[in-house]
Amino acid sequence: MTNKCYNLPARHLVFILLIFVSLGLPVQASQQFPEASPVPGGIAIIALETVDKPAPQVWFGKYRVLVRANENRWEAVVGLPLATKPGIHRIRIKPASGKEYTREFSVAAKKYKEQHITIKNKRMVNPNEDDMKRIRKEKKIIVASLAHWDERPEVQTHFILPVEGRLSSPFGLRRFFNEQPRKPHSGLDIAAPKGSAIKAPADGVVLTTGNYFFNGNTVFIDHGQGLVTMFCHMNEIDVKPGIKVKQGQVIGKVGMTGRVTGPHLHWSVSLNNARIEPKLFLAE
């Protein structure tokens, strides 16, 4: 049956809304971001029994979880690593007062596509011994940045796309470099001309910057409560660690540093140290 509500005058729509409210029927709220997608590489949003202030502390595994207010209750926004197995999982909740308790939630299966890439620079596929020393040293910095936790009461979770361009490689691809299997793609690649402006997707603080073997010129932005974004392969970095950035502020320019086949931005979103689908934070 075709829905004719869009043809009704505004006064009639208001009258219908009042009827819903008077009957106690649910009214659709404006969409919140990120979107719930309880699959490996996605997000589970779990309503909590606790209503008291301050917000409860929540853990998924050994990592703290982002907690936000939704109307008159708290909810946990849980990042699910790509290695998460389908089935029942638990979060641990510690209220400001009262006993600790757990909540179960279900994770569905998701199969990601494969991507085969040919890299001309063989060292970017099979690094030599000196390269590996550098990679191991850099990995500690990268992992620590993506796992960073900053206690903030409010976190902006409705993002904008950091650069205008073609979405060239989606999140979660099972990757093969020169036909050698590698870890799944932990971000979203956006192809854009070299020098294109890269903008902060949300308010935050620049956590660190650096040049890394695989990632090239890289910026990390801390948005609070375990929500961190990473921007790789940049040509220029226009921000320094410790500065506050606003949504839409330019942080650098697109390049092709590190392991690349052309100019693009690799954009990763980390939530409770899980790399998750960036598009869940976007309206479009």
Side-chain angles (χ1 to χ4, degrees):
M1 184 172 67
T2 304
N3 190 337
K4 300 293 185 181
C5 286
Y6 57 82
N7 290 325
L8 291 175
R11 64 181 184 276
H12 290 172
L13 291 174
V14 172
F15 179 69
I16 292 171
L17 180 60
L18 290 173
I19 291 175
F20 269 67
V21 173
S22 66
L23 293 176
L25 298 175
V27 178
Q28 183 71 33
S30 60
Q31 186 177 7
Q32 280 195 310
F33 292 90
E35 293 183 20
S37 178
V39 298
I43 292 171
I45 299 180
I46 306 161
L48 306 178
E49 298 171 10
T50 306
V51 295
D52 297 337
K53 293 183 179 181
Q57 295 182 0
V58 177
W59 287 265
F60 180 51
K62 62 179 181 179
Y63 294 105
R64 283 278 301 274
V65 168
L66 189 154
V67 175
R68 68 182 180 189
N70 186 356
E71 296 182 349
N72 295 323
R73 68 190 313 169
W74 301 105
E75 63 183 13
V77 183
V78 186
L80 305 172
L82 281 164
T84 305
K85 294 182 179 180
I88 302 299
H89 294 265
R90 293 175 179 83
I91 56 172
R92 183 163 52 92
I93 303 103
K94 183 179 180 181
S97 61
K99 292 184 178 181
E100 186 176 295
Y101 63 97
T102 61
R103 285 292 305 273
E104 292 186 344
F105 65 97
S106 180
V107 175
K110 181 173 182 177
K111 186 176 182 180
Y112 292 92
K113 295 180 179 180
E114 291 184 359
Q115 183 184 49
H116 295 256
I117 299 174
T118 300
I119 303 291
K120 293 181 180 179
N121 185 345
K122 306 301 182 184
R123 282 174 55 196
M124 287 293 173
V125 180
N126 297 298
N128 62 35
E129 186 176 341
D130 288 337
D131 295 334
M132 288 305 302
K133 290 180 181 178
R134 177 185 172 185
I135 291 167
R136 283 191 288 267
K137 183 178 179 180
E138 293 173 349
K139 184 178 179 180
K140 293 179 181 179
I141 300 171
I142 294 169
V143 169
S145 298
L146 293 172
H148 182 77
W149 178 273
D150 183 39
E151 196 77 44
R152 295 187 204 171
E154 294 185 9
V155 178
Q156 187 177 15
T157 56
H158 187 181
F159 287 0
I160 62 170
L161 201 64
V163 67
E164 294 183 9
R166 176 176 59 88
L167 306 185
S168 54
S169 291
F171 172 85
L173 290 172
R174 293 180 292 158
R175 289 187 137 181
F176 294 80
F177 291 116
N178 298 357
E179 299 308 316
Q180 298 181 38
R182 292 295 185 266
K183 291 183 179 180
H185 192 215
S186 61
L188 175 66
D189 284 356
I190 307 170
K194 184 178 179 180
S196 299
I198 301 170
K199 301 176 181 179
D203 297 352
V205 176
V206 178
L207 190 58
T208 189
T209 65
N211 179 272
Y212 307 112
F213 185 83
F214 289 126
N215 294 356
N217 292 328
T218 302
V219 170
F220 297 87
I221 298 180
D222 172 30
H223 304 281
Q225 291 198 49
L227 179 59
V228 178
T229 50
M230 179 177 71
F231 311 83
C232 303
H233 312 308
M234 299 168 68
N235 185 55
E236 295 179 18
I237 295 174
D238 295 335
V239 291
K240 294 182 179 181
I243 75 162
K244 293 181 179 180
V245 293
K246 301 296 291 182
Q247 186 177 64
Q249 181 176 334
V250 175
I251 62 171
K253 296 178 177 62
V254 171
M256 48 186 302
T257 56
R259 183 167 63 187
V260 295
T261 57
H264 74 281
L265 173 69
H266 171 97
W267 175 37
S268 283
V269 177
S270 184
L271 183 61
N272 52 267
N273 199 29
R275 260 52 83 202
I276 55 176
E277 169 64 82
K279 289 195 289 186
L280 296 175
F281 291 79
L282 300 170
E284 298 179 0

